[in-house]
Amino acid sequence: MPARKKLTVHNQNSCLDKMDPAGQPATEKQRLLQSEVLARLKKIEGQVRGVAKMVEECRSCSDIVIQLAAIRSAVSRVGATVLACHIAEKIENDVRAERDVMNTMPEILALFKKFS
């Protein structure tokens, strides 16, 4: 079995270290949101490892299914948070550039359909 690569987060390449579309550095709110999302993902990662251990230990299938449902719910919450941020950013950019927000709706709806 090939060795798995460990995923690492490189702070210097953080999306929040870049300038926003208006040329402003990331806000404290954006940094807090990034921290929140990363914390949730790390928790999910731990949950997945826990389920793998449960399978290795031949634990009850019903216990495993309950944990899988919790993981699925946690992933959905993270996805909803990221999607909401993306939509807000798109609308904010349109308003700032004095573009009609309705022109962005097909893109937003397509992304929403992919998520759901």
Side-chain angles (χ1 to χ4, degrees):
M1 178 181 239
R4 293 188 305 182
K5 290 183 179 180
K6 183 177 180 181
L7 296 178
T8 57
V9 177
H10 300 285
N11 288 334
Q12 71 265 19
N13 294 329
S14 169
C15 58
L16 295 178
D17 288 335
K18 298 177 183 175
M19 297 293 187
D20 75 7
Q24 300 297 317
T27 65
E28 185 62 24
K29 181 179 176 182
Q30 290 169 320
R31 290 185 189 286
L32 289 171
L33 181 63
Q34 181 188 37
S35 295
E36 178 186 330
V37 168
L38 287 172
R40 287 183 186 182
L41 289 171
K42 288 176 184 179
K43 182 177 179 183
I44 292 166
E45 183 181 25
Q47 287 176 297
V48 170
R49 276 197 225 102
V51 169
K53 186 175 179 183
M54 290 173 75
V55 171
E56 289 170 354
E57 295 171 351
C58 297
R59 296 271 300 272
S60 159
C61 289
S62 65
D63 290 345
I64 293 170
V65 168
I66 289 168
Q67 291 305 310
L68 290 171
I71 291 167
R72 181 177 52 209
S73 177
V75 169
S76 290
R77 285 191 307 272
V78 170
T81 299
V82 173
L83 180 61
C85 290
H86 178 69
I87 291 171
E89 182 180 274
K90 285 285 193 184
I91 292 171
E92 188 177 306
N93 290 342
D94 282 352
V95 169
R96 190 178 298 133
E98 298 181 3
R99 291 188 297 256
D100 185 0
V101 174
M102 293 307 292
N103 291 335
T104 305
M105 290 309 292
E107 178 186 342
I108 290 171
L109 289 174
L111 188 58
F112 186 79
K113 286 178 184 178
K114 287 179 183 178
F115 174 71
S116 58

